[in-house]
mmCIF file with all atom_site columns, all heavy atoms in Angstrom:
data_model
loop_
_atom_site.group_PDB
_atom_site.id
_atom_site.type_symbol
_atom_site.label_atom_id
_atom_site.label_alt_id
_atom_site.label_comp_id
_atom_site.label_asym_id
_atom_site.label_entity_id
_atom_site.label_seq_id
_atom_site.pdbx_PDB_ins_code
_atom_site.Cartn_x
_atom_site.Cartn_y
_atom_site.Cartn_z
_atom_site.occupancy
_atom_site.B_iso_or_equiv
_atom_site.pdbx_formal_charge
_atom_site.auth_seq_id
_atom_site.auth_comp_id
_atom_site.auth_asym_id
_atom_site.auth_atom_id
_atom_site.pdbx_PDB_model_num
ATOM 1   N N   . VAL A 1 1  ? 68.921 232.795 -18.850 1.00 0.00 ? 1  VAL A N   1
ATOM 2   C CA  . VAL A 1 1  ? 70.346 232.839 -18.500 1.00 0.00 ? 1  VAL A CA  1
ATOM 3   C C   . VAL A 1 1  ? 70.530 233.207 -17.024 1.00 0.00 ? 1  VAL A C   1
ATOM 4   O O   . VAL A 1 1  ? 71.495 232.787 -16.382 1.00 0.00 ? 1  VAL A O   1
ATOM 5   C CB  . VAL A 1 1  ? 71.082 233.841 -19.416 1.00 0.00 ? 1  VAL A CB  1
ATOM 6   C CG1 . VAL A 1 1  ? 72.488 234.108 -18.914 1.00 0.00 ? 1  VAL A CG1 1
ATOM 7   C CG2 . VAL A 1 1  ? 71.139 233.303 -20.843 1.00 0.00 ? 1  VAL A CG2 1
ATOM 8   N N   . PHE A 1 2  ? 69.583 233.968 -16.467 1.00 0.00 ? 2  PHE A N   1
ATOM 9   C CA  . PHE A 1 2  ? 69.699 234.410 -15.069 1.00 0.00 ? 2  PHE A CA  1
ATOM 10  C C   . PHE A 1 2  ? 68.991 233.487 -14.091 1.00 0.00 ? 2  PHE A C   1
ATOM 11  O O   . PHE A 1 2  ? 69.005 233.740 -12.881 1.00 0.00 ? 2  PHE A O   1
ATOM 12  C CB  . PHE A 1 2  ? 69.146 235.833 -14.934 1.00 0.00 ? 2  PHE A CB  1
ATOM 13  C CG  . PHE A 1 2  ? 70.062 236.898 -15.480 1.00 0.00 ? 2  PHE A CG  1
ATOM 14  C CD1 . PHE A 1 2  ? 69.986 237.282 -16.808 1.00 0.00 ? 2  PHE A CD1 1
ATOM 15  C CD2 . PHE A 1 2  ? 71.009 237.501 -14.670 1.00 0.00 ? 2  PHE A CD2 1
ATOM 16  C CE1 . PHE A 1 2  ? 70.827 238.255 -17.323 1.00 0.00 ? 2  PHE A CE1 1
ATOM 17  C CE2 . PHE A 1 2  ? 71.861 238.476 -15.179 1.00 0.00 ? 2  PHE A CE2 1
ATOM 18  C CZ  . PHE A 1 2  ? 71.767 238.854 -16.510 1.00 0.00 ? 2  PHE A CZ  1
ATOM 19  N N   . LYS A 1 3  ? 68.349 232.436 -14.571 1.00 0.00 ? 3  LYS A N   1
ATOM 20  C CA  . LYS A 1 3  ? 67.612 231.551 -13.671 1.00 0.00 ? 3  LYS A CA  1
ATOM 21  C C   . LYS A 1 3  ? 68.511 230.901 -12.611 1.00 0.00 ? 3  LYS A C   1
ATOM 22  O O   . LYS A 1 3  ? 68.099 230.785 -11.443 1.00 0.00 ? 3  LYS A O   1
ATOM 23  C CB  . LYS A 1 3  ? 66.861 230.497 -14.472 1.00 0.00 ? 3  LYS A CB  1
ATOM 24  C CG  . LYS A 1 3  ? 65.598 231.027 -15.145 1.00 0.00 ? 3  LYS A CG  1
ATOM 25  C CD  . LYS A 1 3  ? 64.864 229.943 -15.881 1.00 0.00 ? 3  LYS A CD  1
ATOM 26  C CE  . LYS A 1 3  ? 64.161 228.985 -14.951 1.00 0.00 ? 3  LYS A CE  1
ATOM 27  N NZ  . LYS A 1 3  ? 62.890 229.527 -14.436 1.00 0.00 ? 3  LYS A NZ  1
ATOM 28  N N   . PRO A 1 4  ? 69.735 230.444 -12.926 1.00 0.00 ? 4  PRO A N   1
ATOM 29  C CA  . PRO A 1 4  ? 70.586 229.903 -11.854 1.00 0.00 ? 4  PRO A CA  1
ATOM 30  C C   . PRO A 1 4  ? 70.877 230.923 -10.758 1.00 0.00 ? 4  PRO A C   1
ATOM 31  O O   . PRO A 1 4  ? 70.927 230.571 -9.569  1.00 0.00 ? 4  PRO A O   1
ATOM 32  C CB  . PRO A 1 4  ? 71.864 229.482 -12.595 1.00 0.00 ? 4  PRO A CB  1
ATOM 33  C CG  . PRO A 1 4  ? 71.413 229.229 -13.996 1.00 0.00 ? 4  PRO A CG  1
ATOM 34  C CD  . PRO A 1 4  ? 70.358 230.250 -14.262 1.00 0.00 ? 4  PRO A CD  1
ATOM 35  N N   . PHE A 1 5  ? 71.062 232.186 -11.149 1.00 0.00 ? 5  PHE A N   1
ATOM 36  C CA  . PHE A 1 5  ? 71.279 233.227 -10.135 1.00 0.00 ? 5  PHE A CA  1
ATOM 37  C C   . PHE A 1 5  ? 70.040 233.399 -9.258  1.00 0.00 ? 5  PHE A C   1
ATOM 38  O O   . PHE A 1 5  ? 70.141 233.464 -8.024  1.00 0.00 ? 5  PHE A O   1
ATOM 39  C CB  . PHE A 1 5  ? 71.637 234.552 -10.804 1.00 0.00 ? 5  PHE A CB  1
ATOM 40  C CG  . PHE A 1 5  ? 71.478 235.741 -9.889  1.00 0.00 ? 5  PHE A CG  1
ATOM 41  C CD1 . PHE A 1 5  ? 72.341 235.934 -8.829  1.00 0.00 ? 5  PHE A CD1 1
ATOM 42  C CD2 . PHE A 1 5  ? 70.422 236.628 -10.062 1.00 0.00 ? 5  PHE A CD2 1
ATOM 43  C CE1 . PHE A 1 5  ? 72.172 237.005 -7.958  1.00 0.00 ? 5  PHE A CE1 1
ATOM 44  C CE2 . PHE A 1 5  ? 70.250 237.701 -9.202  1.00 0.00 ? 5  PHE A CE2 1
ATOM 45  C CZ  . PHE A 1 5  ? 71.128 237.891 -8.144  1.00 0.00 ? 5  PHE A CZ  1
ATOM 46  N N   . LEU A 1 6  ? 68.866 233.474 -9.873  1.00 0.00 ? 6  LEU A N   1
ATOM 47  C CA  . LEU A 1 6  ? 67.634 233.639 -9.102  1.00 0.00 ? 6  LEU A CA  1
ATOM 48  C C   . LEU A 1 6  ? 67.394 232.440 -8.184  1.00 0.00 ? 6  LEU A C   1
ATOM 49  O O   . LEU A 1 6  ? 66.896 232.594 -7.063  1.00 0.00 ? 6  LEU A O   1
ATOM 50  C CB  . LEU A 1 6  ? 66.453 233.848 -10.041 1.00 0.00 ? 6  LEU A CB  1
ATOM 51  C CG  . LEU A 1 6  ? 66.483 235.147 -10.862 1.00 0.00 ? 6  LEU A CG  1
ATOM 52  C CD1 . LEU A 1 6  ? 65.311 235.196 -11.835 1.00 0.00 ? 6  LEU A CD1 1
ATOM 53  C CD2 . LEU A 1 6  ? 66.473 236.377 -9.954  1.00 0.00 ? 6  LEU A CD2 1
ATOM 54  N N   . GLN A 1 7  ? 67.775 231.239 -8.651  1.00 0.00 ? 7  GLN A N   1
ATOM 55  C CA  . GLN A 1 7  ? 67.652 230.063 -7.797  1.00 0.00 ? 7  GLN A CA  1
ATOM 56  C C   . GLN A 1 7  ? 68.628 230.144 -6.624  1.00 0.00 ? 7  GLN A C   1
ATOM 57  O O   . GLN A 1 7  ? 68.302 229.753 -5.496  1.00 0.00 ? 7  GLN A O   1
ATOM 58  C CB  . GLN A 1 7  ? 67.905 228.795 -8.598  1.00 0.00 ? 7  GLN A CB  1
ATOM 59  C CG  . GLN A 1 7  ? 67.725 227.503 -7.812  1.00 0.00 ? 7  GLN A CG  1
ATOM 60  C CD  . GLN A 1 7  ? 66.321 227.363 -7.248  1.00 0.00 ? 7  GLN A CD  1
ATOM 61  O OE1 . GLN A 1 7  ? 65.345 227.417 -7.992  1.00 0.00 ? 7  GLN A OE1 1
ATOM 62  N NE2 . GLN A 1 7  ? 66.209 227.177 -5.931  1.00 0.00 ? 7  GLN A NE2 1
ATOM 63  N N   . ALA A 1 8  ? 69.827 230.675 -6.866  1.00 0.00 ? 8  ALA A N   1
ATOM 64  C CA  . ALA A 1 8  ? 70.804 230.853 -5.792  1.00 0.00 ? 8  ALA A CA  1
ATOM 65  C C   . ALA A 1 8  ? 70.275 231.840 -4.747  1.00 0.00 ? 8  ALA A C   1
ATOM 66  O O   . ALA A 1 8  ? 70.482 231.662 -3.538  1.00 0.00 ? 8  ALA A O   1
ATOM 67  C CB  . ALA A 1 8  ? 72.139 231.336 -6.352  1.00 0.00 ? 8  ALA A CB  1
ATOM 68  N N   . VAL A 1 9  ? 69.577 232.888 -5.208  1.00 0.00 ? 9  VAL A N   1
ATOM 69  C CA  . VAL A 1 9  ? 68.965 233.845 -4.283  1.00 0.00 ? 9  VAL A CA  1
ATOM 70  C C   . VAL A 1 9  ? 67.900 233.145 -3.440  1.00 0.00 ? 9  VAL A C   1
ATOM 71  O O   . VAL A 1 9  ? 67.834 233.323 -2.215  1.00 0.00 ? 9  VAL A O   1
ATOM 72  C CB  . VAL A 1 9  ? 68.350 235.024 -5.069  1.00 0.00 ? 9  VAL A CB  1
ATOM 73  C CG1 . VAL A 1 9  ? 67.486 235.890 -4.148  1.00 0.00 ? 9  VAL A CG1 1
ATOM 74  C CG2 . VAL A 1 9  ? 69.444 235.873 -5.698  1.00 0.00 ? 9  VAL A CG2 1
ATOM 75  N N   . ALA A 1 10 ? 67.058 232.330 -4.090  1.00 0.00 ? 10 ALA A N   1
ATOM 76  C CA  . ALA A 1 10 ? 66.024 231.603 -3.354  1.00 0.00 ? 10 ALA A CA  1
ATOM 77  C C   . ALA A 1 10 ? 66.635 230.680 -2.307  1.00 0.00 ? 10 ALA A C   1
ATOM 78  O O   . ALA A 1 10 ? 66.150 230.613 -1.163  1.00 0.00 ? 10 ALA A O   1
ATOM 79  C CB  . ALA A 1 10 ? 65.161 230.800 -4.342  1.00 0.00 ? 10 ALA A CB  1
ATOM 80  N N   . ASP A 1 11 ? 67.706 229.974 -2.669  1.00 0.00 ? 11 ASP A N   1
ATOM 81  C CA  . ASP A 1 11 ? 68.359 229.070 -1.719  1.00 0.00 ? 11 ASP A CA  1
ATOM 82  C C   . ASP A 1 11 ? 68.922 229.842 -0.528  1.00 0.00 ? 11 ASP A C   1
ATOM 83  O O   . ASP A 1 11 ? 68.828 229.391 0.628   1.00 0.00 ? 11 ASP A O   1
ATOM 84  C CB  . ASP A 1 11 ? 69.478 228.295 -2.424  1.00 0.00 ? 11 ASP A CB  1
ATOM 85  C CG  . ASP A 1 11 ? 68.949 227.342 -3.483  1.00 0.00 ? 11 ASP A CG  1
ATOM 86  O OD1 . ASP A 1 11 ? 67.745 227.016 -3.443  1.00 0.00 ? 11 ASP A OD1 1
ATOM 87  O OD2 . ASP A 1 11 ? 69.734 226.929 -4.357  1.00 0.00 ? 11 ASP A OD2 1
ATOM 88  N N   . GLU A 1 12 ? 69.522 231.001 -0.799  1.00 0.00 ? 12 GLU A N   1
ATOM 89  C CA  . GLU A 1 12 ? 70.097 231.814 0.268   1.00 0.00 ? 12 GLU A CA  1
ATOM 90  C C   . GLU A 1 12 ? 69.007 232.318 1.219   1.00 0.00 ? 12 GLU A C   1
ATOM 91  O O   . GLU A 1 12 ? 69.180 232.333 2.445   1.00 0.00 ? 12 GLU A O   1
ATOM 92  C CB  . GLU A 1 12 ? 70.858 232.993 -0.348  1.00 0.00 ? 12 GLU A CB  1
ATOM 93  C CG  . GLU A 1 12 ? 71.692 233.789 0.621   1.00 0.00 ? 12 GLU A CG  1
ATOM 94  C CD  . GLU A 1 12 ? 72.955 233.068 1.056   1.00 0.00 ? 12 GLU A CD  1
ATOM 95  O OE1 . GLU A 1 12 ? 73.257 231.981 0.507   1.00 0.00 ? 12 GLU A OE1 1
ATOM 96  O OE2 . GLU A 1 12 ? 73.645 233.591 1.949   1.00 0.00 ? 12 GLU A OE2 1
ATOM 97  N N   . CYS A 1 13 ? 67.876 232.712 0.643   1.00 0.00 ? 13 CYS A N   1
ATOM 98  C CA  . CYS A 1 13 ? 66.770 233.221 1.468   1.00 0.00 ? 13 CYS A CA  1
ATOM 99  C C   . CYS A 1 13 ? 66.207 232.119 2.360   1.00 0.00 ? 13 CYS A C   1
ATOM 100 O O   . CYS A 1 13 ? 65.881 232.356 3.531   1.00 0.00 ? 13 CYS A O   1
ATOM 101 C CB  . CYS A 1 13 ? 65.677 233.797 0.577   1.00 0.00 ? 13 CYS A CB  1
ATOM 102 S SG  . CYS A 1 13 ? 66.149 235.314 -0.292  1.00 0.00 ? 13 CYS A SG  1
ATOM 103 N N   . ARG A 1 14 ? 66.057 230.931 1.829   1.00 0.00 ? 14 ARG A N   1
ATOM 104 C CA  . ARG A 1 14 ? 65.544 229.819 2.638   1.00 0.00 ? 14 ARG A CA  1
ATOM 105 C C   . ARG A 1 14 ? 66.514 229.465 3.760   1.00 0.00 ? 14 ARG A C   1
ATOM 106 O O   . ARG A 1 14 ? 66.100 229.098 4.857   1.00 0.00 ? 14 ARG A O   1
ATOM 107 C CB  . ARG A 1 14 ? 65.300 228.602 1.749   1.00 0.00 ? 14 ARG A CB  1
ATOM 108 C CG  . ARG A 1 14 ? 64.067 228.722 0.875   1.00 0.00 ? 14 ARG A CG  1
ATOM 109 C CD  . ARG A 1 14 ? 63.637 227.372 0.322   1.00 0.00 ? 14 ARG A CD  1
ATOM 110 N NE  . ARG A 1 14 ? 62.466 227.533 -0.524  1.00 0.00 ? 14 ARG A NE  1
ATOM 111 C CZ  . ARG A 1 14 ? 62.511 227.786 -1.825  1.00 0.00 ? 14 ARG A CZ  1
ATOM 112 N NH1 . ARG A 1 14 ? 63.676 227.878 -2.418  1.00 0.00 ? 14 ARG A NH1 1
ATOM 113 N NH2 . ARG A 1 14 ? 61.408 227.937 -2.521  1.00 0.00 ? 14 ARG A NH2 1
ATOM 114 N N   . HIS A 1 15 ? 67.789 229.568 3.456   1.00 0.00 ? 15 HIS A N   1
ATOM 115 C CA  . HIS A 1 15 ? 68.804 229.203 4.446   1.00 0.00 ? 15 HIS A CA  1
ATOM 116 C C   . HIS A 1 15 ? 68.879 230.222 5.584   1.00 0.00 ? 15 HIS A C   1
ATOM 117 O O   . HIS A 1 15 ? 69.019 229.852 6.756   1.00 0.00 ? 15 HIS A O   1
ATOM 118 C CB  . HIS A 1 15 ? 70.160 229.079 3.753   1.00 0.00 ? 15 HIS A CB  1
ATOM 119 C CG  . HIS A 1 15 ? 71.296 228.785 4.672   1.00 0.00 ? 15 HIS A CG  1
ATOM 120 N ND1 . HIS A 1 15 ? 71.393 227.612 5.393   1.00 0.00 ? 15 HIS A ND1 1
ATOM 121 C CD2 . HIS A 1 15 ? 72.388 229.523 5.017   1.00 0.00 ? 15 HIS A CD2 1
ATOM 122 C CE1 . HIS A 1 15 ? 72.496 227.624 6.120   1.00 0.00 ? 15 HIS A CE1 1
ATOM 123 N NE2 . HIS A 1 15 ? 73.114 228.782 5.916   1.00 0.00 ? 15 HIS A NE2 1
ATOM 124 N N   . ARG A 1 16 ? 68.754 231.508 5.249   1.00 0.00 ? 16 ARG A N   1
ATOM 125 C CA  . ARG A 1 16 ? 68.991 232.561 6.241   1.00 0.00 ? 16 ARG A CA  1
ATOM 126 C C   . ARG A 1 16 ? 67.719 233.194 6.801   1.00 0.00 ? 16 ARG A C   1
ATOM 127 O O   . ARG A 1 16 ? 67.793 233.963 7.765   1.00 0.00 ? 16 ARG A O   1
ATOM 128 C CB  . ARG A 1 16 ? 69.892 233.649 5.640   1.00 0.00 ? 16 ARG A CB  1
ATOM 129 C CG  . ARG A 1 16 ? 71.276 233.124 5.269   1.00 0.00 ? 16 ARG A CG  1
ATOM 130 C CD  . ARG A 1 16 ? 72.203 234.228 4.835   1.00 0.00 ? 16 ARG A CD  1
ATOM 131 N NE  . ARG A 1 16 ? 73.520 233.722 4.480   1.00 0.00 ? 16 ARG A NE  1
ATOM 132 C CZ  . ARG A 1 16 ? 74.494 233.527 5.347   1.00 0.00 ? 16 ARG A CZ  1
ATOM 133 N NH1 . ARG A 1 16 ? 74.298 233.778 6.635   1.00 0.00 ? 16 ARG A NH1 1
ATOM 134 N NH2 . ARG A 1 16 ? 75.660 233.075 4.946   1.00 0.00 ? 16 ARG A NH2 1
ATOM 135 N N   . GLY A 1 17 ? 66.570 232.933 6.176   1.00 0.00 ? 17 GLY A N   1
ATOM 136 C CA  . GLY A 1 17 ? 65.319 233.372 6.771   1.00 0.00 ? 17 GLY A CA  1
ATOM 137 C C   . GLY A 1 17 ? 64.791 234.710 6.279   1.00 0.00 ? 17 GLY A C   1
ATOM 138 O O   . GLY A 1 17 ? 65.315 235.308 5.338   1.00 0.00 ? 17 GLY A O   1
ATOM 139 N N   . PRO A 1 18 ? 63.737 235.212 6.943   1.00 0.00 ? 18 PRO A N   1
ATOM 140 C CA  . PRO A 1 18 ? 63.020 236.402 6.473   1.00 0.00 ? 18 PRO A CA  1
ATOM 141 C C   . PRO A 1 18 ? 63.884 237.657 6.351   1.00 0.00 ? 18 PRO A C   1
ATOM 142 O O   . PRO A 1 18 ? 63.699 238.463 5.439   1.00 0.00 ? 18 PRO A O   1
ATOM 143 C CB  . PRO A 1 18 ? 61.925 236.591 7.537   1.00 0.00 ? 18 PRO A CB  1
ATOM 144 C CG  . PRO A 1 18 ? 61.742 235.239 8.148   1.00 0.00 ? 18 PRO A CG  1
ATOM 145 C CD  . PRO A 1 18 ? 63.093 234.602 8.118   1.00 0.00 ? 18 PRO A CD  1
ATOM 146 N N   . GLU A 1 19 ? 64.819 237.851 7.268   1.00 0.00 ? 19 GLU A N   1
ATOM 147 C CA  . GLU A 1 19 ? 65.640 239.068 7.225   1.00 0.00 ? 19 GLU A CA  1
ATOM 148 C C   . GLU A 1 19 ? 66.474 239.120 5.947   1.00 0.00 ? 19 GLU A C   1
ATOM 149 O O   . GLU A 1 19 ? 66.564 240.163 5.288   1.00 0.00 ? 19 GLU A O   1
ATOM 150 C CB  . GLU A 1 19 ? 66.544 239.120 8.460   1.00 0.00 ? 19 GLU A CB  1
ATOM 151 C CG  . GLU A 1 19 ? 67.354 240.409 8.543   1.00 0.00 ? 19 GLU A CG  1
ATOM 152 C CD  . GLU A 1 19 ? 68.183 240.478 9.814   1.00 0.00 ? 19 GLU A CD  1
ATOM 153 O OE1 . GLU A 1 19 ? 67.854 239.761 10.779  1.00 0.00 ? 19 GLU A OE1 1
ATOM 154 O OE2 . GLU A 1 19 ? 69.150 241.262 9.832   1.00 0.00 ? 19 GLU A OE2 1
ATOM 155 N N   . GLU A 1 20 ? 67.071 237.989 5.585   1.00 0.00 ? 20 GLU A N   1
ATOM 156 C CA  . GLU A 1 20 ? 67.864 237.950 4.356   1.00 0.00 ? 20 GLU A CA  1
ATOM 157 C C   . GLU A 1 20 ? 66.966 238.048 3.135   1.00 0.00 ? 20 GLU A C   1
ATOM 158 O O   . GLU A 1 20 ? 67.345 238.664 2.126   1.00 0.00 ? 20 GLU A O   1
ATOM 159 C CB  . GLU A 1 20 ? 68.690 236.653 4.302   1.00 0.00 ? 20 GLU A CB  1
ATOM 160 C CG  . GLU A 1 20 ? 69.658 236.572 3.133   1.00 0.00 ? 20 GLU A CG  1
ATOM 161 C CD  . GLU A 1 20 ? 70.825 237.535 3.259   1.00 0.00 ? 20 GLU A CD  1
ATOM 162 O OE1 . GLU A 1 20 ? 70.879 238.304 4.257   1.00 0.00 ? 20 GLU A OE1 1
ATOM 163 O OE2 . GLU A 1 20 ? 71.688 237.538 2.380   1.00 0.00 ? 20 GLU A OE2 1
ATOM 164 N N   . THR A 1 21 ? 65.769 237.478 3.194   1.00 0.00 ? 21 THR A N   1
ATOM 165 C CA  . THR A 1 21 ? 64.829 237.583 2.080   1.00 0.00 ? 21 THR A CA  1
ATOM 166 C C   . THR A 1 21 ? 64.468 239.036 1.825   1.00 0.00 ? 21 THR A C   1
ATOM 167 O O   . THR A 1 21 ? 64.407 239.492 0.673   1.00 0.00 ? 21 THR A O   1
ATOM 168 C CB  . THR A 1 21 ? 63.548 236.773 2.382   1.00 0.00 ? 21 THR A CB  1
ATOM 169 O OG1 . THR A 1 21 ? 63.893 235.421 2.644   1.00 0.00 ? 21 THR A OG1 1
ATOM 170 C CG2 . THR A 1 21 ? 62.597 236.816 1.197   1.00 0.00 ? 21 THR A CG2 1
ATOM 171 N N   . GLU A 1 22 ? 64.246 239.773 2.916   1.00 0.00 ? 22 GLU A N   1
ATOM 172 C CA  . GLU A 1 22 ? 63.911 241.194 2.766   1.00 0.00 ? 22 GLU A CA  1
ATOM 173 C C   . GLU A 1 22 ? 65.077 241.974 2.161   1.00 0.00 ? 22 GLU A C   1
ATOM 174 O O   . GLU A 1 22 ? 64.883 242.869 1.332   1.00 0.00 ? 22 GLU A O   1
ATOM 175 C CB  . GLU A 1 22 ? 63.541 241.770 4.142   1.00 0.00 ? 22 GLU A CB  1
ATOM 176 C CG  . GLU A 1 22 ? 63.069 243.208 4.109   1.00 0.00 ? 22 GLU A CG  1
ATOM 177 C CD  . GLU A 1 22 ? 61.755 243.394 3.362   1.00 0.00 ? 22 GLU A CD  1
ATOM 178 O OE1 . GLU A 1 22 ? 61.014 242.402 3.201   1.00 0.00 ? 22 GLU A OE1 1
ATOM 179 O OE2 . GLU A 1 22 ? 61.478 244.524 2.925   1.00 0.00 ? 22 GLU A OE2 1
ATOM 180 N N   . ARG A 1 23 ? 66.295 241.638 2.586   1.00 0.00 ? 23 ARG A N   1
ATOM 181 C CA  . ARG A 1 23 ? 67.461 242.363 2.066   1.00 0.00 ? 23 ARG A CA  1
ATOM 182 C C   . ARG A 1 23 ? 67.693 242.074 0.589   1.00 0.00 ? 23 ARG A C   1
ATOM 183 O O   . ARG A 1 23 ? 67.971 242.983 -0.203  1.00 0.00 ? 23 ARG A O   1
ATOM 184 C CB  . ARG A 1 23 ? 68.718 241.977 2.870   1.00 0.00 ? 23 ARG A CB  1
ATOM 185 C CG  . ARG A 1 23 ? 69.952 242.806 2.527   1.00 0.00 ? 23 ARG A CG  1
ATOM 186 C CD  . ARG A 1 23 ? 71.174 242.317 3.284   1.00 0.00 ? 23 ARG A CD  1
ATOM 187 N NE  . ARG A 1 23 ? 71.697 241.067 2.742   1.00 0.00 ? 23 ARG A NE  1
ATOM 188 C CZ  . ARG A 1 23 ? 72.528 240.998 1.691   1.00 0.00 ? 23 ARG A CZ  1
ATOM 189 N NH1 . ARG A 1 23 ? 72.932 242.101 1.075   1.00 0.00 ? 23 ARG A NH1 1
ATOM 190 N NH2 . ARG A 1 23 ? 72.968 239.830 1.272   1.00 0.00 ? 23 ARG A NH2 1
ATOM 191 N N   . LEU A 1 24 ? 67.592 240.809 0.211   1.00 0.00 ? 24 LEU A N   1
ATOM 192 C CA  . LEU A 1 24 ? 67.894 240.428 -1.176  1.00 0.00 ? 24 LEU A CA  1
ATOM 193 C C   . LEU A 1 24 ? 66.752 240.734 -2.135  1.00 0.00 ? 24 LEU A C   1
ATOM 194 O O   . LEU A 1 24 ? 66.988 241.023 -3.314  1.00 0.00 ? 24 LEU A O   1
ATOM 195 C CB  . LEU A 1 24 ? 68.231 238.936 -1.255  1.00 0.00 ? 24 LEU A CB  1
ATOM 196 C CG  . LEU A 1 24 ? 69.559 238.499 -0.635  1.00 0.00 ? 24 LEU A CG  1
ATOM 197 C CD1 . LEU A 1 24 ? 69.707 236.985 -0.718  1.00 0.00 ? 24 LEU A CD1 1
ATOM 198 C CD2 . LEU A 1 24 ? 70.732 239.177 -1.335  1.00 0.00 ? 24 LEU A CD2 1
#
């Protein structure tokens, strides 16, 4: 049920880079 959310997190991290990946 949470897989779409986790995919949204992955998309956001790829878009914004390492700093956002570390934060999320």
Side-chain angles (χ1 to χ4, degrees):
V1 169
F2 285 89
K3 284 182 73 79
F5 163 70
L6 294 176
Q7 183 59 56
V9 169
D11 294 342
E12 190 74 6
C13 292
R14 286 196 181 89
H15 177 64
R16 297 187 180 274
E19 184 177 339
E20 186 70 359
T21 303
E22 185 65 20
R23 187 184 75 84
L24 290 177

